Amino acid sequence: MNNNVKLNIENKAYELPLIEGTEGEKAIDISQLRTKTGYITSDTGYKSTGSTQSAITFLDGENGILRYRGYPIEQLAENSTFLEVAYLLIYGDLPNKEQLETFTSGITRHTLIHEDMKKFYEGYPSKAHPMGVLASMISAMSTFYPEAQKSQLNPEEVDVTIRRLIAKSATIAAWSYKKSQGLPIIYPQNRLGYCANFLHMMFALPTEEYEVNPTVVKALDVLLILHADHEQNCSASTVRMAGSSHASLYAAISAGVCALWGPLHGGANQQVIEMLEQIRNEGSDIQKMVAKAKDKNSDFRLMGFGHRVYKNFDPRAKIIKKACDDVLEELGTRDPLLDIAKELEEVALSDSYFVDRKLYPNVDFYSGILYRAIGLPTEMFTVMFSLGRLPGWIAQWKEMRDNNEPISRPRQIYVGRKERDYEPLEKRN
Ligand code: ACO
């Protein structure tokens, strides 16, 4: 490949270097563009802009490929565990037995949250959305562990912060659910694995025995693995951007949780279920919903459909769809929303509006049904996404700091008023 590209601006020629990734992805390096030409590029929403060079996740949206550190998502979902995948994302390779044991026991040791943090739960309204609780509690962790701000590049300190974040976020999330239900919080049981412990904190009651179902544990493990990273999406970019100011890892992750919350990103899984419930409540008229999604006078979109980068299929949606069928069969439950979802998918995929725009079910389309089967309430869906995405955010933050990336500071094209003089109040209309 030619290593440069020529650019002509106002009859002057400039050479810009080309970059090629290990999977053949190509980019024009414009980092010197403004210095050399006085011009910037304009790309609202970053549709054609690469913000970094990353070795964590490879995603080919045209061909439905997703790999973490080179490993296909299908193989990881089939064979791995969430904590093993977390290690892979954060440290670059699959752990050997000893590394995995050290990592796992390090996380297990940190599952308790500081007793003083428990008091925060008393201050939230009972209807507080658990994403708001999660974001603020993670941010509050920075006040309990201020050394994370001071020693950001000390590897041992970073490792402890990573373990604290992964372990305590699960406890924070489960307790936010208990509080929303007015139920007593359940302390972690460190003899249990990560997913089993989470389910125990969510569903156990002090009044009765609770047995964790291995099928549900496996399904949760798969869900978390599928959500663990997705290269430079909105929340990962937010984590990198917040962290680029050298705010602590806790602060950066809290920012990531907030970014994930929105319905166009991680919040879509909650919206999918609400949409399917609406279809059911209105007499299961799928054609009506599809027509509404196509109507340009309506704001309504088919939630769980479409993706900024997947323009063929979302490989995660395929795995989740199958997991959904398996779990419902194993648990012997039937969910009428699954039937509506399948029918909706069929109708949309044979409609030229969706076909022409390459709109396919994304990861959120079926994950909600799986969460429901596990017994998780709708408001917890995006929290589950956050727990899954946490290792990815950490890996993105770590890569950005290890590579000593500069502070993220995009430019803009100003389109506001030209300079004008201050008008005294009595002279204004
Ligand atoms: N329903 C109906 N029409 C849609 C949908 C949808 N779900 N998604 C996109 N379109 C249409 C748009 O109206 C637009 O049509 P037009 O060309 O006639 O104007 C065209 O498809 C392209 O859509 P954009 O919004 O430009 O695509 P973009 O890449 O910016 O957005 C997004 C991607 C945000 C995911 C979008 O498809 C969407 O809103 N989907 C629903 C929400 C959702 O499921 N989000 C979860 C994403 S996965 C994740 O974050 C984990």
Side-chain angles (χ1 to χ4, degrees):
M1 181 174 98
N2 186 349
N3 287 336
N4 288 308
V5 68
K6 285 200 175 64
L7 178 70
N8 275 302
I9 303 181
E10 294 169 3
N11 295 327
K12 217 171 153 200
Y14 300 91
E15 295 232 333
L16 297 171
L18 291 177
I19 301 170
E20 187 165 342
T22 45
E23 292 286 349
E25 291 176 307
K26 296 177 183 66
I28 302 166
D29 179 352
I30 56 151
S31 51
Q32 296 299 311
L33 185 71
R34 188 170 179 279
T35 321
K36 284 185 178 171
T37 68
Y39 278 72
I40 62 166
T41 56
S42 175
D43 180 21
T44 308
Y46 310 119
K47 294 194 177 196
S48 294
T49 298
S51 58
T52 190
Q53 294 187 36
S54 178
I56 302 169
T57 289
F58 174 66
L59 202 169
D60 176 348
E62 272 70 35
N63 294 306
I65 293 173
L66 174 62
R67 294 183 203 135
Y68 299 159
R69 303 281 188 188
Y71 295 102
I73 191 67
E74 293 80 4
Q75 290 183 24
L76 292 170
E78 172 103 33
N79 304 304
S80 194
T81 62
F82 175 58
L83 288 191
E84 192 179 48
V85 168
Y87 185 100
L88 169 72
L89 285 167
I90 296 167
Y91 298 107
D93 287 302
L94 281 171
N96 61 29
K97 205 161 173 280
E98 196 190 327
Q99 287 165 330
L100 185 60
E101 271 168 20
T102 310
F103 184 63
T104 306
S105 65
I107 287 169
T108 306
R109 212 175 32 245
H110 287 289
T111 48
L112 282 172
I113 62 172
H114 196 291
E115 282 292 297
D116 288 349
M117 285 187 80
K118 251 168 60 182
K119 295 191 193 119
F120 297 164
Y121 285 100
E122 289 160 24
Y124 293 114
S126 61
K127 293 277 167 277
H129 195 288
M131 281 298 275
V133 175
L134 184 66
S136 55
M137 292 290 271
I138 289 178
S139 177
M141 273 166 71
S142 63
T143 64
F144 285 79
Y145 307 104
E147 55 285 3
Q149 174 67 39
K150 285 190 219 120
S151 331
Q152 291 189 22
L153 295 179
N154 173 337
E156 278 105 60
E157 198 58 61
V158 171
D159 281 348
V160 176
T161 304
I162 290 170
R163 284 155 178 71
R164 280 192 181 124
L165 267 167
I166 295 177
K168 293 180 200 305
S169 295
T171 310
I172 289 169
W175 287 9
S176 72
Y177 167 66
K178 286 291 195 200
K179 281 285 164 188
S180 75
Q181 301 298 301
L183 292 168
I185 52 165
I186 298 290
Y187 277 86
Q189 276 286 348
N190 287 350
R191 67 184 161 78
L192 298 171
Y194 178 88
C195 288
N197 201 7
F198 175 73
L199 292 166
H200 162 80
M201 289 188 284
M202 281 288 295
F203 299 120
L205 291 170
T207 44
E208 51 199 62
E209 281 292 309
Y210 174 75
E211 252 187 60
V212 184
N213 181 328
T215 306
V216 174
V217 170
K218 176 64 194 156
L220 188 55
D221 229 26
V222 169
L223 276 164
L224 296 181
I225 290 170
L226 295 181
H227 286 92
D229 194 52
H230 215 231
E231 51 120 296
Q232 305 313 313
N233 55 81
C234 174
S235 55
S237 304
T238 300
V239 168
R240 285 184 94 118
M241 190 176 243
S244 77
S245 73
H246 297 187
S248 76
L249 180 51
Y250 294 114
I253 297 293
S254 172
V257 173
C258 290
L260 186 76
W261 192 354
L264 296 191
H265 192 12
N269 51 19
Q270 175 173 343
Q271 307 265 327
V272 170
I273 292 298
E274 285 166 6
M275 175 186 76
L276 295 174
E277 279 169 343
Q278 191 190 341
I279 296 176
R280 185 193 55 194
N281 297 342
E282 290 175 6
S284 301
D285 191 344
I286 286 173
Q287 296 291 353
K288 187 176 124 194
M289 231 21 145
V290 170
K292 199 170 156 196
K294 288 159 46 175
D295 180 0
K296 292 291 169 199
N297 295 317
S298 143
D299 293 342
F300 177 76
R301 285 189 163 198
L302 223 48
M303 298 315 288
F305 260 77
H307 200 277
R308 174 60 64 80
V309 287
Y310 290 123
K311 301 299 176 193
N312 180 335
F313 65 92
D314 182 338
R316 303 166 301 171
K318 267 193 173 176
I319 300 170
I320 292 192
K321 188 177 180 183
K322 174 152 188 330
C324 236
D325 283 332
D326 293 350
V327 167
L328 288 177
E329 196 187 316
E330 175 84 24
L331 298 179
T333 37
R334 263 208 76 218
D335 189 342
L337 293 196
L338 179 61
D339 300 333
I340 296 176
K342 284 185 174 167
E343 205 184 324
L344 184 60
E345 179 184 357
E346 210 178 301
V347 171
L349 292 186
S350 55
D351 189 306
S352 59
Y353 174 95
F354 293 92
V355 175
D356 294 349
R357 289 170 179 76
K358 299 186 170 42
L359 301 170
Y360 297 88
N362 58 48
V363 68
D364 288 325
F365 194 65
Y366 285 106
S367 63
I369 293 174
L370 199 38
Y371 288 136
R372 264 164 67 95
I374 291 175
L376 290 158
T378 319
E379 286 215 322
M380 284 295 287
F381 292 179
T382 316
V383 171
M384 301 313 296
F385 194 154
S386 305
L387 294 183
R389 186 54 57 85
L390 190 50
W393 288 332
I394 293 169
Q396 299 286 345
W397 175 90
K398 193 167 177 302
E399 182 177 70
M400 182 268 305
R401 292 306 312 270
D402 287 348
N403 291 346
N404 204 15
E405 289 185 12
I407 186 165
S408 291
R409 202 313 188 175
R411 294 206 170 245
Q412 64 162 16
I413 299 293
Y414 176 69
V415 293
R417 301 285 290 260
K418 292 260 195 198
E419 184 180 359
R420 49 183 170 158
D421 288 327
Y422 179 82
E423 293 128 1
L425 189 56
E426 56 281 7
K427 289 204 174 162
R428 288 179 224 156
N429 293 327

